């Protein structure tokens, strides 16, 4: 048997197995919950990629950013071109080590989550991204119970993405998909500052 013939036979077996799994799978009757977590870079970037996909299908998208401040970013400027199809709320005040104010950070995160719940329950969105909400949970600005309650109360139409390192186990258990980014190498560790168009 030639290499080409052997390869074709292997691919036929894989194709049959894949088709069998697809046939057995069902279309969900509700939006999905996705968690992007881990120490590696790329969690928010992955969520923004899903936003692009949703917009490509003409879907309506909402974003609430929990920690990131109002500095200018490439993604924010890009998505501003989709006015009327994406509602973007940057409600954080920047890195928590800059504010150093537990009461203020807690109030800010809770206000952001109130906005998120409005969007989740409205029935007006196909996708809502809760960017860096896992950080707000890590510092106890929000409770796991409150976030799970908000996810449970969402419109059946709405899928949700939660980003940020250190995702809580209960959220990972609740989610339909959990992806963890691993840090192998990062330019900042070599003394290289964030780069426009790559990092922001």
């Amino acid at each position: 048997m030639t290499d080409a013939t052997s390869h074709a036979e292997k691919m036929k077996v894989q194709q049959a197995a894949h088709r069998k799994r697809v046939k057995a799978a069902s279309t969900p009757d509700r939006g999905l919950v996705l968690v992007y977590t881990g120490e590696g870079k790329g969690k928010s970037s992955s969520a923004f990629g899903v936003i692009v996909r949703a917009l490509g299908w003409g879907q309506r998208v909402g974003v609430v950013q929990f920690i990131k401040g109002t500095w200018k970013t490439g993604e924010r400027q890009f998505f501003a071109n989709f006015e009327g199809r994406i509602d973007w709320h940057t409600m954080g005040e920047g890195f928590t080590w800059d504010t150093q104010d537990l009461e203020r950070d807690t109030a800010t995160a809770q206000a952001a989550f109130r906005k998120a719940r409005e969007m989740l329950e409205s029935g007006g969105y196909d996708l809502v991204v809760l960017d860096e909400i896992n950080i707000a949970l890590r510092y106890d600005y929000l409770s796991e119970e409150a976030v799970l309650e908000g996810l449970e109360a969402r419109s059946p139409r709405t899928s949700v993405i939660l980003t940020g390192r250190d995702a809580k186990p209960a959220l990972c258990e609740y989610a339909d998909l959990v992806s963890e980014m691993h840090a192998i190498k990062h330019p900042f560790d070599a003394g290289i500052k964030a780069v426009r168009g790559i990092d922001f």
Side-chain angles (χ1 to χ4, degrees), residues 8-192:
E9 290 300 321
K10 287 178 184 176
M11 292 304 103
K12 282 180 184 176
V13 171
Q14 285 192 21
Q15 181 186 59
H18 180 72
R19 286 181 173 170
K20 184 177 180 181
R21 288 185 68 193
V22 169
K23 188 174 181 181
S26 60
T27 301
D29 57 358
R30 58 172 176 76
L32 301 179
V33 175
L34 297 79
V35 173
Y36 297 148
T37 192
E39 293 182 4
K41 180 175 168 50
K43 299 174 287 292
S44 295
S45 300
S46 294
F48 299 149
V50 178
I51 291 174
V52 170
R53 185 174 289 151
L55 292 173
W57 285 106
Q59 295 181 353
R60 182 93 185 279
V61 178
V63 178
V64 178
Q65 291 189 299
F66 280 79
I67 301 296
K68 292 168 180 170
T70 56
W71 62 82
K72 189 180 285 189
T73 63
E75 62 268 16
R76 185 68 191 95
Q77 294 183 90
F78 173 78
F79 289 122
N81 295 315
F82 292 85
E83 190 174 341
R85 291 179 53 203
I86 183 167
D87 294 325
W88 192 295
H89 302 276
T90 300
M91 301 184 71
E93 295 188 292
F95 296 115
T96 51
W97 57 75
D98 287 332
T99 56
Q100 301 175 15
D101 186 330
L102 176 61
E103 187 175 333
R104 180 172 148 190
D105 289 338
T106 300
T108 299
Q110 290 182 355
F113 191 63
R114 284 193 295 274
K115 172 55 70 176
R117 281 207 65 159
E118 286 176 24
M119 299 169 86
L120 291 169
E121 295 175 32
S122 71
Y125 299 90
D126 298 286
L127 173 67
V128 174
V129 174
L130 306 180
D131 190 36
E132 301 292 2
I133 192 172
N134 292 334
I135 301 300
L137 284 159
R138 178 173 74 176
Y139 289 119
D140 296 320
Y141 303 154
L142 301 171
S143 71
E144 289 179 73
E145 293 77 18
V147 173
L148 287 167
E149 182 182 292
L151 294 174
E152 194 66 25
R154 76 189 188 279
S155 165
R157 165 188 177 182
T158 305
S159 290
V160 190
I161 301 177
L162 302 93
T163 75
R165 60 178 59 199
D166 299 320
K168 296 288 187 179
L171 283 179
C172 292
E173 179 67 27
Y174 182 85
D176 298 289
L177 177 145
V178 179
S179 289
E180 186 173 12
M181 313 297 180
H182 291 286
I184 306 297
K185 192 175 184 180
H186 197 295
F188 189 65
D189 296 334
I192 299 171

